[in-house]
Amino acid sequence: MDVYDSIIRGTQPNRLIIIEDSFLAKGQFILHLISENRKSHDIHVLCFEHLVSQYQKLFPSLSNIHYYDCMTNILSSTLSMYETVTNIIAQSTKNVVILIDSLSMYLLGTDFRNVYKEVLEITSLEKVPNVVQLVAVIHEDVTEKHYTEHLKNICKTYIHVQNTNNPLVLNLRLEHKRSNGKCVVQKLKGELKSDCTFKLINDLLPQTIEEEKGIPKNLASFKLDLQENEKKAKEELVLPYTLVQNASNIGGIIHYIPDEADDWDEEDPDDDLEI
């Protein structure tokens, strides 16, 4: 499975994508590439970080892309992000893709618990079925790490944009959760062009890894999980029955010692029974 290609082209259902970037490695080009491949949807860009005119230069000139100035009134607006999205849905007749740049700016004036709840509501199939995808950028050099980890846990796909020694060359790490509980990880390296295209330099094969499912803490008065040294001791423990199973000389013999009351008669061993 090519995770990068499926994300850009939208070939698989994916209601929440989180893009983590930084000042030296911006991820807005991914928003540009996604918008180019959603021509059958209504695309709505919530502009928290720059003026609308700047986003109009960044995104392709398509009639299905709409912009909302959330920067100039981010502190004075009475509408939450969720309320803004519901107003958008009310005016749209197509399936909707929401692009947010960036959640970090919205978090500066909104409590994280409210933002987390709003993201869950926007991506809820029951509450807003028209929203088929929410793509949000978050800055690792602005937003606290544990906030990003919480959002990472609820998203389907997480993209980490990393800088290199060359300002035009970026590394991408993509983590995509499958429905079977496994996580596909893909690492890419590419050159960012002036037209926001991303030319791949190398494409490492996606790796499928088991998603670690931690045991919740404080569920009981005793410990439920094992430390690393305890896991190692468990693996090295040899149980007695395994020695028997692995023995090279398979077979055995039964030794029987009769007592005084036994009547040892090979011709009729049951002649002592009153039948």
Side-chain angles (χ1 to χ4, degrees):
M1 173 186 179
D2 190 334
V3 180
Y4 177 77
D5 187 69
S6 67
I7 290 170
I8 299 302
R9 297 182 182 278
T11 55
Q12 293 190 3
N14 195 336
R15 294 186 67 83
L16 179 58
I17 299 174
I18 296 294
I19 303 170
E20 184 177 12
D21 69 355
S22 64
F23 178 77
L24 296 176
K26 297 186 181 297
Q28 292 176 335
F29 73 95
I30 301 177
L31 300 181
H32 173 95
L33 296 175
I34 289 176
S35 63
E36 278 188 327
N37 290 273
R38 305 294 189 277
K39 295 179 181 179
S40 61
H41 299 76
D42 275 342
I43 301 174
H44 299 269
V45 185
L46 305 189
C47 311
F48 285 100
E49 197 149 324
H50 304 288
L51 294 174
V52 168
S53 58
Q54 188 167 341
Y55 284 102
Q56 289 173 334
K57 296 177 183 178
L58 172 67
F59 285 86
S61 299
L62 297 174
S63 59
N64 65 321
I65 301 179
H66 312 278
Y67 303 90
Y68 298 85
D69 182 9
C70 301
M71 187 190 75
T72 56
N73 58 356
I74 187 172
L75 296 177
S76 60
S77 176
T78 57
L79 290 179
S80 66
M81 182 174 64
Y82 174 71
E83 291 171 332
T84 302
V85 171
T86 53
N87 289 342
I88 290 171
I89 295 171
Q91 303 172 5
S92 180
T93 57
K94 299 180 181 178
N95 285 334
V96 173
V97 174
I98 303 292
L99 306 180
I100 301 176
D101 187 42
S102 66
L103 270 182
S104 294
M105 294 299 105
Y106 185 56
L107 278 166
L108 292 179
T110 312
D111 184 77
F112 176 76
R113 290 170 294 183
N114 294 334
V115 176
Y116 186 85
K117 181 181 178 182
E118 289 180 66
V119 172
L120 287 176
E121 289 177 336
I122 293 172
T123 55
S124 170
L125 184 62
E126 291 76 18
K127 289 199 171 186
V128 280
N130 286 6
V131 175
V132 296
Q133 193 166 75
L134 170 64
V135 186
V137 176
I138 192 164
H139 306 316
E140 63 180 342
D141 45 5
V142 176
T143 304
E144 294 184 36
K145 188 64 179 177
H146 63 279
Y147 289 162
T148 304
E149 288 298 321
H150 283 302
L151 293 171
K152 183 179 173 181
N153 287 335
I154 62 174
C155 72
K156 182 84 170 179
T157 303
Y158 164 77
I159 306 173
H160 190 196
V161 185
Q162 302 165 319
N163 65 299
T164 63
N165 295 330
N166 186 339
L168 296 179
V169 176
L170 299 173
N171 289 328
L172 298 183
R173 176 184 170 87
L174 302 95
E175 300 178 14
H176 179 75
K177 298 174 185 174
R178 288 180 172 175
S179 56
N180 61 3
K182 293 183 179 180
C183 182
V184 180
V185 177
Q186 187 176 22
K187 296 179 181 179
L188 303 173
K189 187 175 185 178
E191 182 180 359
L192 185 61
K193 300 294 186 179
S194 58
D195 58 353
C196 287
T197 56
F198 190 64
K199 183 180 179 182
L200 296 178
I201 297 175
N202 69 335
D203 183 0
L204 301 179
L205 293 175
Q207 299 175 339
T208 303
I209 61 175
E210 292 288 346
E211 191 177 23
E212 294 184 1
K213 299 186 182 299
I215 300 176
K217 298 180 179 179
N218 302 324
L219 281 182
S221 57
F222 52 88
K223 189 173 67 171
L224 296 174
D225 57 343
L226 296 176
Q227 301 295 330
E228 289 301 323
N229 59 335
E230 294 172 328
K231 292 179 181 178
K232 184 178 180 181
K234 180 182 177 182
E235 292 173 356
E236 295 176 351
L237 178 64
V238 179
L239 299 174
Y241 69 86
T242 59
L243 294 176
V244 177
Q245 291 176 347
N246 297 330
S248 58
N249 186 17
I250 300 176
I253 184 171
I254 299 175
H255 297 277
Y256 174 68
I257 302 176
D259 57 21
E260 296 178 355
D262 287 341
D263 181 9
W264 190 261
D265 188 348
E266 293 183 357
E267 293 182 0
D268 187 6
D270 297 327
D271 63 352
D272 58 333
L273 299 178
E274 297 181 359
I275 300 177

